[in-house]
Amino acid sequence: MNAPPALERDLCTCGALRRAARAATALYDQALKPTGLRVTQYAILRILDRCGPLPVTRLAAEADLERTTMARNLDPLERRGLVRVGTGENDARSRLAELTEAGRATLAEAKPHWQAAQEQLAQRIDPDSVRSLAEALRA
């Protein structure tokens, strides 16, 4: 049932997008539950797999996260042995994150679960619409 026109006009776009993002995150987190990963952790492992070892600052930029948020996300991954965080080669103050073999194995195990969530979401929302929305908001 469609909302009355006055209600549609008063809908807060930010609130609606935040609720949608939380719902999508919950869907992915539930799908990834058997692997012990959350979708943000899965995304970090994918970035490291794609890019190789990265300074934590650059990893945060790639994931579109604040550096401190990235550090909090890396801690449980490091405790599980999925990533290794050490000092940079040229600068001991720099922290370098890299995917471990256990991280690669967990990523491979998680991929079908992530793909199932992708497909489930694609049945609800056209992927081209998602892409268009993301592009419009980045502009």
Side-chain angles (χ1 to χ4, degrees), residues 64-132:
D64 203 18
L65 294 172
E66 296 291 324
R67 189 188 183 290
T68 55
T69 303
M70 178 56 71
R72 281 194 310 273
N73 277 284
L74 284 171
D75 286 344
L77 294 173
E78 189 174 22
R79 280 194 303 273
R80 284 183 62 187
L82 305 181
V83 298
R84 186 174 18 262
V85 181
T87 57
E89 237 175 65
N90 301 328
D91 183 356
R93 295 170 297 171
S94 171
R95 295 181 65 217
L96 190 70
E98 68 179 304
L99 193 61
T100 65
E101 285 306 313
R104 276 189 188 76
T106 299
L107 188 58
E109 174 194 348
K111 187 172 183 176
H113 298 284
W114 176 84
Q115 189 64 46
Q118 282 281 98
E119 291 168 8
Q120 192 175 357
L121 210 50
Q123 291 173 2
R124 298 180 189 182
I125 304 168
D126 176 39
D128 289 334
S129 296
V130 173
R131 200 171 355 275
S132 294

Side-chain angles (χ1 to χ4, degrees), residues 21-77:
R22 281 194 301 271
T25 297
L27 186 142
Y28 282 93
D29 283 348
Q30 184 61 37
L32 290 167
K33 199 171 192 169
T35 67
L37 293 175
R38 298 183 62 88
V39 70
T40 50
Q41 296 169 327
Y42 177 80
I44 291 166
L45 296 180
R46 283 188 60 174
I47 292 167
L48 289 172
D49 188 49
R50 184 180 74 244
C51 298
L54 289 173
V56 172
T57 303
R58 171 128 180 260
L59 178 58
E62 289 286 331
D64 203 18
L65 294 172
E66 296 291 324
R67 189 188 183 290
T68 55
T69 303
M70 178 56 71
R72 281 194 310 273
N73 277 284
L74 284 171
D75 286 344
L77 294 173

